[in-house]
Amino acid sequence: MVEPADIDALVEEARRAVAGAGTTEEIREVASAVAGKKSALAGVGRGLGALEPEQRKELGRRLHEARAAVDQLIEGRRAEITAAELARELAQSRVDLTEFIPGSVPAPKARGHLNLVTQTQAALEDVFVGMGFLVEEGPEIETDWYNFGALNIPPAHPARGMWDTLYLDLGPPESTLLRTHTSPVQIHLMERAVAQGQLPIHAVMPGRCYRRDTPDARHLPVFHQIEGLVVDKGISFADLAGTIEVFTTAYFGPDIHSRLRPAYFPFTEPSAEYEVTCTICLGSGCQTCSQTGWIELGGCGMVDPAVFDAVGIDPDLWTGFAFGFGIDRCAQMRHQIADMRVLTDNDLRFLRQF
Ligand code: DAH
């Protein structure tokens, strides 16, 4: 005959067994042993049927409470074990990601951009390419012949005074110098065209030039020009003036126009100075343009027959025009830059604006 005290003893026994379980496997075994179908408590339940109704009711209630208590003990322990096992697993699978980080990565370098002069050169080339010109280049170190002689400027001619030249070597056999303008590239192109039988010529020639000038607001000793040369049949001064005007409005915009004023250059006849509407006052007159409303950009004219003779082109068959003007001056006029020296000063506050 089962007594309530026996039930208490079974609960006490279960408590100890449950406390001793340390793994999921062990708690499963303990649970089956103390609360399963074959457990002592289950056995008590099966014996209830043989009791008197009064006793059965009393013992049944005690048994029910005991089983609930044991179930609670098991679930509590199971939760503890699961938590501990999870914690152990996490600790074992911990990965130190910093082991995979390569050495410190430097901050990305700030990206620069082309200098305004280079941008201007590209923009000018674009306009002329759009008009059908090729872009050509020539050497920055020239002989006296290419820079002067072939351009109809003989030694000791007073016209040489127009260029303050930096000589590298005063011959013999011939002086070499830093070119004072891009006009000598005309000579190279015409010589090549004659040698290869490839006339006509429609080309622009941008590049760096040098003069023994003291830098000031409108002069740099190292500066840039773009030269133009057309050699073809039946070319007239009207072609030159039209080309210059189309270029001017294309590059500076519809408010800016060109005018050609008679001038002298040894390698063109007739020659003209090429001027554009002052971009500061738009022609009404200001300090920059000395109240004239116009700014000089360069020179131009019809190729002198003496130049054709120098390169072996028949001036009775071919005619042509040429022009040359300052790229730095164009940038200055288009962006209203008061002092040209900022173009080469490397002051980022200025350069970043373009
Ligand atoms: N080479 C001249 C200079 O630097 C500019 C020039 C004038 C170029 C007339 C030309 C030209 O092609 O026809 O002052």
Side-chain angles (χ1 to χ4, degrees):
M1 163 76 200
V2 180
E3 298 289 328
D6 296 336
I7 291 179
D8 290 346
L10 286 177
V11 170
E12 206 36 53
E13 211 173 285
R15 186 191 306 283
R16 259 181 276 133
V18 166
T23 64
T24 312
E25 185 58 24
E26 285 170 12
I27 191 65
R28 202 170 52 76
E29 281 165 13
V30 169
S32 156
V34 301
K37 284 188 194 123
K38 293 180 185 159
S39 66
L41 281 176
V44 172
R46 274 195 298 276
L48 288 183
L51 299 177
E52 291 299 308
E54 229 6 70
Q55 262 186 319
R56 192 188 327 156
K57 196 174 163 204
E58 170 59 16
L59 217 57
R61 191 180 52 78
R62 290 295 297 272
L63 184 62
H64 182 73
E65 286 171 0
R67 298 201 69 146
V70 170
D71 283 345
Q72 212 180 339
L73 286 172
I74 292 169
E75 283 322 305
R77 184 68 189 139
R78 205 197 296 281
E80 281 172 17
I81 289 170
T82 308
E85 278 180 354
L86 182 65
R88 209 175 314 129
E89 219 172 278
L90 287 178
Q92 274 168 5
S93 59
R94 182 172 184 276
V95 177
D96 184 358
L97 289 176
T98 60
E99 283 173 19
F100 300 99
I101 298 176
S104 63
V105 183
K109 288 218 165 58
R111 237 179 130 179
H113 63 70
L114 297 176
N115 182 279
L116 176 60
V117 176
T118 314
Q119 292 181 43
T120 304
Q121 178 175 324
L124 296 173
E125 286 174 12
D126 279 353
V127 173
F128 284 111
V129 166
M131 293 166 76
F133 286 75
L134 294 178
V135 179
E136 302 276 2
E137 285 185 341
E140 290 176 25
I141 294 176
E142 285 290 12
T143 60
D144 192 282
W145 168 252
Y146 282 98
N147 198 76
F148 293 125
L151 290 163
N152 198 28
I153 317 169
H157 192 281
R160 290 209 180 196
M162 293 162 75
W163 294 276
D164 291 316
T165 311
L166 290 157
Y167 287 92
L168 297 172
D169 181 13
L170 286 169
E174 197 174 16
S175 309
T176 49
L177 48 89
L178 294 175
R179 68 179 179 193
T180 57
H181 49 185
T182 44
S183 299
V185 191
Q186 290 186 35
I187 304 300
H188 290 292
L189 284 197
M190 287 190 278
E191 282 181 343
R192 194 181 74 194
V194 168
Q196 299 176 347
Q198 279 181 348
L199 286 168
I201 296 171
H202 306 87
V204 288
M205 299 142 260
R208 204 175 282 138
C209 304
Y210 305 82
R211 286 188 203 172
R212 203 164 50 84
D213 275 344
T214 306
D216 66 25
R218 297 201 305 138
H219 296 91
L220 295 171
V222 180
F223 59 102
H224 302 78
Q225 285 189 337
I226 186 162
E227 192 82 14
L229 175 68
V230 168
V231 179
D232 209 333
K233 290 187 171 145
I235 297 294
S236 76
F237 199 92
D239 297 313
L240 167 60
T243 302
I244 293 269
E245 175 64 12
V246 168
F247 158 74
T248 303
T249 49
Y251 179 70
F252 289 101
D255 294 338
I256 308 296
H257 294 281
S258 62
R259 76 170 181 182
L260 302 180
R261 295 211 303 160
Y264 169 73
F265 292 102
F267 33 92
T268 42
E269 179 62 31
S271 302
E273 252 165 28
Y274 158 39
E275 297 184 344
V276 295
T277 317
C278 176
T279 56
I280 313 283
C281 62
L282 294 183
S284 57
C286 68
Q287 231 180 348
T288 308
C289 60
S290 310
Q291 309 304 329
T292 63
W294 296 91
I295 295 278
E296 189 207 324
L297 271 193
C300 60
M302 302 305 291
V303 179
D304 194 299
V307 175
F308 280 148
D309 279 340
V311 295
I313 290 178
D314 184 352
D316 291 331
L317 271 181
W318 301 93
T319 47
F321 66 76
F323 57 83
F325 55 87
I327 294 175
D328 319 73
R329 190 66 66 78
C330 280
Q332 183 179 26
M333 282 304 122
R334 174 137 160 199
H335 299 287
Q336 286 115 42
I337 298 166
D339 190 324
M340 219 180 210
R341 286 171 287 191
V342 292
L343 292 173
T344 52
D345 273 351
N346 280 342
D347 184 337
L348 293 179
R349 290 169 302 179
F350 170 76
L351 296 172
R352 280 198 180 118
Q353 299 176 91
F354 304 99

